[in-house]
Amino acid sequence: MIKVLAIDDEPLALRQLTTYISKVPFLELAGQCQSALQAREIMEKEVIDAIFCDINMPDLSGMDFVRQLAAPPLIVFTTAYSEYAIEGYKVNAVDYLLKPFGMNDFLRAAMKVQEQYNLRHQNSPATQQSSPIDQSNGTIFVKTDYRVVRISIADIRYVEGMSEYLKIHLEGQKPIITLLSMKKMEDYLPPQQFMRIHRSYIVNLQKIQEVNKNRIILDADTYLPLGDLYKDQFNDYLAKNYLGK
């Protein structure tokens, strides 16, 4: 998780910023501040990986605050004034969000933060060894809305890709929507049990009831397409488990 601070002197803007942060699975809100001075106090006590910081604030501007940091974290500036963009990049800001911005704009900035964070930590042993799967009981934690929920891998019927989000379809439960890429989910799930069958689908092989041409049938109401790029791999799986001539 990337520990972040939200800094904005306007209460409504700060509330919006913290709401957006809470919706991104790889961000952890370490604190919310209405001034750079409050942020400095927090950063003196704990390690912060990134800050989302307003530029125009009383006492100490966001730009001056960043310039004073001996070892600044990853920076995303937020402001209503576009003329600050060039100044932001002079202090090596990761991104610049022009108010008012929506969730899609914030998400793009968050992805840039994640990319830079991964580059900084790619050689860390803790990063290399971490896994979202609890191997002892076959579960995984995912963030959805404002909650982090535990999912049993055996209960996953299939995973559906929806742009930047995934819809995890579960046995006997409502689907869970989380912000994650298909590639990462594919890497997380055990390959002996799950297979990518389409650009937008990963299926639990144990849930398949029938295969009919280019359709994989899980039940009377659930048909998943088999994509051309994934046919050979899936047919190899069928061949190894096929009884007959």
Side-chain angles (χ1 to χ4, degrees), residues 134-192:
D134 184 343
Q135 300 290 351
S136 62
N137 57 16
T139 61
I140 188 171
F141 285 97
V142 299
K143 189 171 185 178
T144 177
D145 294 327
Y146 303 99
R147 303 171 296 135
V148 176
V149 298
R150 183 197 294 269
I151 296 175
S152 172
I153 292 175
D155 287 340
I156 299 175
R157 301 181 71 221
Y158 65 98
V159 179
E160 179 182 1
M162 304 186 305
S163 187
E164 296 101 343
Y165 293 83
L166 296 182
K167 190 173 187 179
I168 304 173
H169 297 262
L170 302 168
E171 198 74 59
Q173 304 173 50
K174 290 183 178 180
I176 289 176
I177 296 176
T178 187
L179 179 62
L180 196 66
S181 70
M182 286 291 283
K183 180 63 170 66
K184 283 201 172 181
M185 179 58 82
E186 187 179 8
D187 291 341
Y188 290 164
L189 294 173
Q192 68 275 14

Side-chain angles (χ1 to χ4, degrees), residues 20-70:
Y20 288 163
I21 290 171
S22 71
K23 293 182 177 181
V24 180
F26 53 81
L27 298 183
E28 176 186 348
L29 182 64
Q32 47 184 305
C33 311
Q34 288 190 265
S35 73
L37 299 179
Q38 291 178 3
R40 180 187 289 166
E41 291 179 4
I42 293 176
M43 294 177 70
E44 288 174 351
K45 297 175 183 177
E46 60 181 301
V47 176
I48 300 298
D49 300 311
I51 62 174
F52 289 81
C53 183
D54 185 28
I55 291 179
N56 295 296
M57 293 186 292
D59 299 325
L60 183 63
S61 75
M63 196 74 67
D64 289 337
F65 169 59
V66 170
R67 288 195 182 104
Q68 292 177 10
L69 295 174

Side-chain angles (χ1 to χ4, degrees), residues 223-239:
Y223 300 77
L224 304 181
L226 178 59
D228 291 337
L229 293 176
Y230 305 91
K231 281 182 181 179
D232 290 343
Q233 182 184 10
F234 184 74
N235 287 334
D236 287 344
Y237 164 76
L238 285 183

Side-chain angles (χ1 to χ4, degrees), residues 157 171 207-210 216-223:
R157 301 181 71 221
E171 198 74 59
K207 305 295 183 181
I208 297 175
Q209 298 298 317
E210 185 179 333
I216 294 174
I217 302 171
L218 305 189
D219 56 45
D221 300 314
T222 310
Y223 300 77

